[in-house]
Amino acid sequence: MSRKFAAITGVQGYVPDYVMTNKELETMVDTSDEWIRTRTGIETRHILKGEGLGTSDMMVEAVKGLLEKTNTRPEEVDMVIGATITGDMPFPDTANIVCDKIGIKNAFSYDINAACSGFLFALTTGAKFVESGSHKKVIVMGGDKMSSIIDYTDRTTCVIFGDGCGAVMLEPSEEHGVMDSIHHSDGSGRHYLNLKAGGSTKPITHEALDNRENFVYQNGRPVFKAAVSGMSDVVKTIMENNDLSKDDIAWLVPHQANMRIIETVSRMADFPMERVMININRYGNTTAGTLPLCLWDYEDQLKKGDNIILTAFGGGFTWGAIWIKWAY
Ligand code: UT7
């Protein structure tokens, strides 16, 4: 029996209208446009403004566009996975809320929390359901409203993150789709990148709020080092395991956390920058949103049969790489 693949048959992104510039951040914390550009590569990021709006509202926009693009009626969708660390609320899952808002009634849906690797982990998970033959139209979403968990008095984190999301449709294919994947996690990384309050070990209390523990904490340097070695290792490994040379790969799609990380990973993987997808300058780090937003931005340049390697590294630590053959 021939192998069945899970092909991406459409991609759609969404970023909110409001653009926060480095200049605006200069008025909020002790930073400079120059520092942010040279240390991170970020020029602007989009921020979701508006009372009561959450990650589901961005995902709804992306999924509506995706359904239109792929000529899919909501009732045809049979599974929806959402990758996010900024769900609308601790429960129910944001994927459930997205389905309700759109009228996707015949799907089962849930969220995956793997921080910046969330889309990667969710894509592999969704692909397995399609490959098994049990599900035919699976939507995988990745995105975050990072502005809801960022401390805008902490210059080490607030300049980096932005809000945004993307979604892909997965459908069965004989030859295109997810070809191989590698995933890792190492919980000892939790000490370097975390959000301390609001979980079961430290529910939100006045004390936690006073200590600003309801916001992202990051010790940037060790995360930087681990991100570079983690992503370059998995990119090299997935290429070696599948006898792929750099000439076989049309695009490398790295998580957009820091332009210096992206450049170092492509150098270590011996991959030319002209074929590396980059949009960190416009969106900053949208956590689970970066990879689908890259695919969305570069969709016009992709060709059927292109080999693409996605890679990400994030909180957990979590990291991995996926090799896909583009289907359209
Ligand atoms: O997506 C999830 C995974 N996350 C990542 O991959 C992020 C990995 N880490 C990074 O991208 C970088 O470590 C950061 C962008 C977070 C920080 O850049 P860095 O070059 O590693 O800076 P640093 O933390 O070593 O700090 C260097 C200096 C410090 O000042 P002193 O101690 O040398 O006086 C910081 O206080 O830069 C200072 N600094 C800033 N200065 C102006 C830190 N943030 C800022 C800022 N503006 N926004």
Side-chain angles (χ1 to χ4, degrees):
M1 210 173 74
S2 67
R3 189 180 150 188
K4 195 177 284 173
F5 298 99
I8 293 178
T9 55
V11 58
Q12 184 73 20
Y14 176 80
V15 288
D17 293 337
Y18 188 84
V19 176
M20 183 182 274
T21 62
N22 293 347
K23 284 281 171 215
E24 182 176 352
L25 283 158
E26 283 180 358
T27 68
M28 297 159 70
V29 286
D30 180 14
T31 191
S32 67
D33 177 47
E34 158 78 10
W35 191 97
I36 303 171
R37 279 175 198 263
T38 53
R39 304 307 292 168
T40 71
I42 301 167
E43 294 162 21
T44 55
R45 69 287 292 139
H46 291 244
I47 303 293
L48 183 63
K49 301 262 187 185
E51 186 80 28
L53 295 180
T55 297
S56 74
D57 297 289
M58 297 193 292
M59 287 177 166
V60 161
E61 292 304 319
V63 171
K64 276 184 181 165
L66 182 68
L67 293 176
E68 207 176 297
K69 233 174 171 175
T70 56
N71 275 320
T72 308
R73 284 176 286 115
E75 56 274 24
E76 290 179 280
V77 179
D78 44 18
M79 182 177 190
V80 178
I81 309 178
T84 187
I85 56 167
T86 53
D88 285 14
M89 45 184 105
F91 77 91
D93 276 357
T94 296
N96 308 157
I97 299 170
V98 171
C99 288
D100 178 56
K101 286 182 174 175
I102 292 182
I104 295 177
K105 299 207 178 297
N106 299 320
F108 85 113
S109 57
Y110 59 88
D111 291 351
I112 282 183
N113 177 338
C116 298
S117 308
F119 181 77
L120 215 58
F121 284 26
L123 184 60
T124 295
T125 307
K128 297 293 175 198
F129 282 86
V130 174
E131 288 164 16
S132 75
S134 63
H135 292 69
K136 294 204 164 37
K137 287 187 189 288
V138 174
I139 292 178
V140 177
M141 315 177 292
D144 279 291
K145 181 186 172 186
M146 290 305 290
S147 61
S148 65
I149 55 167
I150 290 301
D151 180 354
Y152 284 93
T153 67
D154 174 8
R155 68 175 183 176
T156 68
T157 50
C158 73
V159 302
I160 303 171
F161 292 97
D163 302 338
C165 74
V168 298
M169 179 72 78
L170 293 178
E171 296 182 73
S173 162
E174 298 298 320
E175 48 182 333
H176 300 105
V178 174
M179 310 306 285
D180 193 17
S181 57
I182 302 175
H183 298 293
H184 296 289
S185 34
D186 174 3
S188 67
R190 72 189 181 281
H191 302 296
Y192 305 103
L193 183 50
N194 58 49
L195 194 156
K196 292 183 182 63
S200 56
T201 54
K202 187 175 276 202
I204 290 179
T205 58
H206 285 292
E207 192 197 353
L209 294 178
D210 288 343
N211 294 334
R212 308 187 81 76
E213 288 171 326
N214 55 319
F215 294 121
V216 170
Y217 162 81
Q218 176 169 248
N219 181 355
R221 278 199 187 174
V223 179
F224 188 110
K225 272 179 73 176
V228 165
S229 65
M231 286 194 284
S232 51
D233 275 359
V234 286
V235 168
K236 281 190 268 185
T237 306
I238 206 162
M239 286 172 68
E240 275 163 24
N241 289 353
N242 294 287
D243 287 326
L244 293 166
S245 79
K246 67 178 176 196
D247 298 329
D248 298 320
I249 308 298
W251 294 97
L252 179 65
V253 192
H255 173 50
Q256 311 280 304
N258 187 317
M259 191 59 197
R260 290 183 294 136
I261 296 178
I262 296 170
E263 285 166 351
T264 313
V265 168
S266 25
R267 196 169 54 246
M268 287 172 77
D270 191 23
F271 202 83
M273 283 302 286
E274 315 82 79
R275 288 189 275 132
V276 178
M277 292 192 192
I278 294 162
N279 58 18
I280 186 171
N281 51 321
R282 291 187 291 140
Y283 305 144
N285 182 350
T286 55
T287 302
T290 66
L291 299 180
L293 280 171
C294 276
L295 294 175
W296 180 52
D297 278 349
Y298 282 77
E299 187 187 18
D300 287 354
Q301 298 180 55
L302 300 178
K303 293 193 288 296
K304 192 172 181 170
D306 274 355
N307 289 309
I308 300 173
I309 292 182
L310 310 175
T311 185
F313 185 94
F317 293 145
T318 54
W319 69 104
I322 294 183
W323 165 34
I324 52 179
K325 261 191 195 300
W326 197 248
Y328 63 99

